[in-house]
Amino acid sequence: PQHDRLSRQEQAVAERVARGMTDKQIAIDLHLSIPSVRTYLQRTFDKLQVNRRAALANAMVLHSRKTAEAGPSAPHHEGIAG
């Protein structure tokens, strides 16, 4: 899956976008600069083939539902190197 190609930072940024956080809030939360957040966000958009925050949030929600439905026996991917 495309989510498996996200780096830990891209995953962290994407999860926070899905929660409705702004770039500034994400930067503070992850101890990053705002330009770094925007770089991770753009890379995530490219990897997931989306171009809007809402589409990214939707993709993350769908991914988390699929992961939850797969149950505990499914392999767990933490932050996935990309």
Side-chain angles (χ1 to χ4, degrees):
Q2 294 171 343
H3 290 84
D4 293 347
R5 297 183 353 211
L6 297 181
S7 71
R8 287 181 189 263
Q9 288 289 45
E10 291 163 350
Q11 182 82 25
V13 168
E15 288 170 356
R16 284 158 178 79
V17 167
R19 288 188 233 151
M21 294 175 76
T22 65
D23 291 352
K24 183 176 180 179
Q25 290 169 326
I26 295 168
I28 292 167
D29 196 45
L30 295 177
H31 307 285
L32 299 170
S33 68
I34 292 173
S36 291
V37 169
R38 291 181 178 150
T39 296
Y40 288 124
L41 188 57
Q42 187 59 54
R43 288 181 187 168
T44 303
F45 284 172
D46 294 343
K47 288 181 181 183
L48 299 182
Q49 299 175 345
V50 298
N51 59 8
R52 298 172 64 163
R53 294 173 86 94
L56 173 58
N58 187 51
M60 295 305 293
V61 168
L62 292 174
H63 175 69
S64 66
R65 284 185 186 159
K66 287 180 186 176
T67 302
E69 289 172 5
S73 62
H76 180 69
H77 298 285
E78 278 208 34
I80 326 317

